[in-house]
Amino acid sequence: AEAGKELGQLVTALSFLSYVLEQQRQFETQRQTLLQTLEICEQQNWPNRAATLQIDLAKLEAMRGEFSLAEELLRVARVSIEPTDGFAIAILEEACGLVADWVGAPDQAQQYFERGRHAAEVARASVVSQRLRFHVVDLSFRLGVPQSDAGLNGHHLGFMEALKSLQSGQFETALGQLQRLERELLEP
């Protein structure tokens, strides 16, 4: 794609490369790849594609502790995303929620996750919707106010309770909770 100057194909290839680098935990190389891809999108005036790259880059910057930069990237992405692109909006809200959570703003994170979950459900993006539900549940457990109405079935909530026990060092309680779940029939 690069040799043939096929910029659309190059952006797609670099996006896949970025994903592979993320899975390999090569975050600095992924960051450089995202910056290169973002530069192409900006030069070609592809704002929606640029926005999804800015979201990925924002998460990387937040992981490096560059929260102001991450928040700025997310602000720019929000302006670029088409209002009818529910999937992109859900991904944006998820990233905003993660950054807010990482900077210690759990109430704001909760709002972002809920907005993202709504956008994902409207867009019928079930994988993103479930991921956002788990963010909501995880956050509520960490805040000490578990939500039973987060759209998860009883088995999932039982599992989250066991994880909370495990995180707080109550190993025998967690083991008992998991053993009870193991004996229960899974809900459809």
Side-chain angles (χ1 to χ4, degrees), residues 119-136:
E121 288 170 357
V122 169
R124 295 188 175 145
S126 60
V127 172
V128 178
S129 177
Q130 282 297 330
R131 198 169 63 218
L132 282 154
R133 283 185 177 152
F134 278 109
H135 285 312
V136 168

Side-chain angles (χ1 to χ4, degrees), residues 3-185:
K5 300 196 184 322
E6 294 291 334
L7 295 179
Q9 290 177 358
L10 181 59
V11 166
T12 301
L14 290 171
S15 297
F16 284 129
L17 176 60
S18 171
Y19 176 76
V20 170
L21 292 167
E22 179 182 11
Q23 299 309 305
Q24 295 175 339
R25 306 185 67 73
Q26 295 182 32
F27 299 122
E28 187 53 36
T29 306
Q30 179 194 13
R31 183 175 174 275
Q32 294 306 317
T33 302
L34 285 169
L35 287 169
Q36 178 187 0
T37 313
L38 184 57
E39 185 178 327
I40 294 168
C41 289
E42 289 172 346
Q43 288 171 352
Q44 296 302 308
N45 195 25
W46 295 334
N48 220 41
R49 275 186 146 179
T52 58
L53 296 166
Q54 288 162 331
I55 293 166
D56 288 343
L57 189 56
K59 289 188 286 188
L60 276 177
E61 295 297 350
M63 286 172 41
R64 293 177 18 165
E66 298 290 339
F67 298 114
S68 295
L69 180 54
E71 290 169 344
E72 179 59 26
L73 285 163
L74 292 171
R75 274 192 291 277
V76 171
R78 185 175 299 280
V79 172
S80 300
I81 290 177
E82 295 177 19
T84 57
D85 190 346
F87 180 79
I89 291 169
I91 298 296
L92 172 68
E93 298 295 353
E94 178 184 33
C96 289
L98 289 170
V99 172
D101 189 17
W102 295 341
V103 297
D107 292 337
Q108 191 177 19
Q110 180 87 17
Q111 291 172 4
Y112 284 126
F113 291 147
E114 290 292 349
R115 284 198 307 254
R117 189 172 81 168
H118 175 72
E121 288 170 357
V122 169
R124 295 188 175 145
S126 60
V127 172
V128 178
S129 177
Q130 282 297 330
R131 198 169 63 218
L132 282 154
R133 283 185 177 152
F134 278 109
H135 285 312
V136 168
V137 170
D138 173 60
L139 185 61
S140 70
F141 271 105
R142 285 188 284 120
L143 293 174
V145 287
Q147 289 187 354
S148 59
D149 62 342
L152 300 174
N153 66 35
H155 202 85
H156 286 119
L157 285 173
F159 182 72
M160 295 299 285
E161 288 171 3
L163 285 179
K164 183 180 178 199
S165 297
L166 182 63
Q167 287 174 339
S168 65
Q170 300 172 352
F171 302 115
E172 289 186 30
T173 302
L175 180 61
Q177 290 168 319
L178 290 171
Q179 287 171 336
R180 273 193 305 282
L181 287 173
E182 194 174 40
R183 291 188 297 270
E184 291 178 13
L185 292 174

